[in-house]
């Protein structure tokens, strides 16, 4: 799983989501989705802008935490029209 630390970073700096949106040019709704860890996708350009404005590295913003239930290899989950199901041998 990917853990997003945007809310913590903004809290430590006492920045609002509106300020980050204004400084990065990223839509406030997109910043809100990232802040609330509801975003399923984020572009490299958006990550670049956020890291530039916050003067941080990508590893400060995002962290990889191994999943409790694996999703690859023998536990592969296939995506079909947005639905996930276990791979049938």
């Amino acid at each position: 799983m990917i853990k997003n630390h945007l809310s913590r970073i903004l809290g430590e700096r006492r920045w609002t989501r509106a300020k980050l949106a204004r400084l990065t040019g990223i839509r406030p709704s997109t910043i809100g989705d990232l802040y609330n860890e509801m975003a399923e996708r984020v572009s490299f350009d958006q990550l670049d802008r956020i890291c530039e404005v916050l003067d941080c590295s990508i590893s400060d913003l995002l962290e990889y935490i191994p999943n409790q239930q694996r999703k690859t290899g023998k536990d592969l989950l296939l995506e079909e029209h947005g639905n996930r199901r276990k791979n049938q041998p």
Side-chain angles (χ1 to χ4, degrees):
M1 137 170 98
I2 304 298
K3 175 71 175 157
N4 171 356
H5 296 290
L6 182 61
S7 62
R8 178 185 53 78
I9 293 169
L10 290 183
E12 289 171 355
R13 294 169 188 235
R14 302 204 185 277
W15 281 28
T16 64
R17 292 177 286 174
K19 179 177 181 176
L20 182 62
R22 190 173 54 255
L23 292 174
T24 60
I26 299 171
R27 292 181 313 150
S29 62
T30 301
I31 296 294
D33 287 347
L34 289 168
Y35 181 90
N36 292 308
E37 297 189 52
M38 297 183 69
E40 292 185 18
R41 293 177 182 84
V42 60
S43 74
F44 287 134
D45 180 60
Q46 290 168 337
L47 291 173
D48 182 51
R49 290 174 185 220
I50 291 169
C51 288
E52 183 177 307
V53 165
L54 295 175
D55 191 29
C56 69
S57 71
I58 195 73
S59 62
D60 295 327
L61 192 59
L62 302 175
E63 175 186 7
Y64 172 71
I65 300 171
N67 295 304
Q68 290 182 355
Q69 174 61 45
R70 293 184 55 96
K71 299 178 184 180
T72 59
K74 67 179 176 61
D75 302 308
L76 181 64
L77 291 177
L78 297 178
E79 295 185 23
E80 183 177 324
H81 305 292
N83 298 316
R84 292 183 175 198
R85 60 180 174 79
K86 274 205 166 207
N87 188 11
Q88 301 298 321

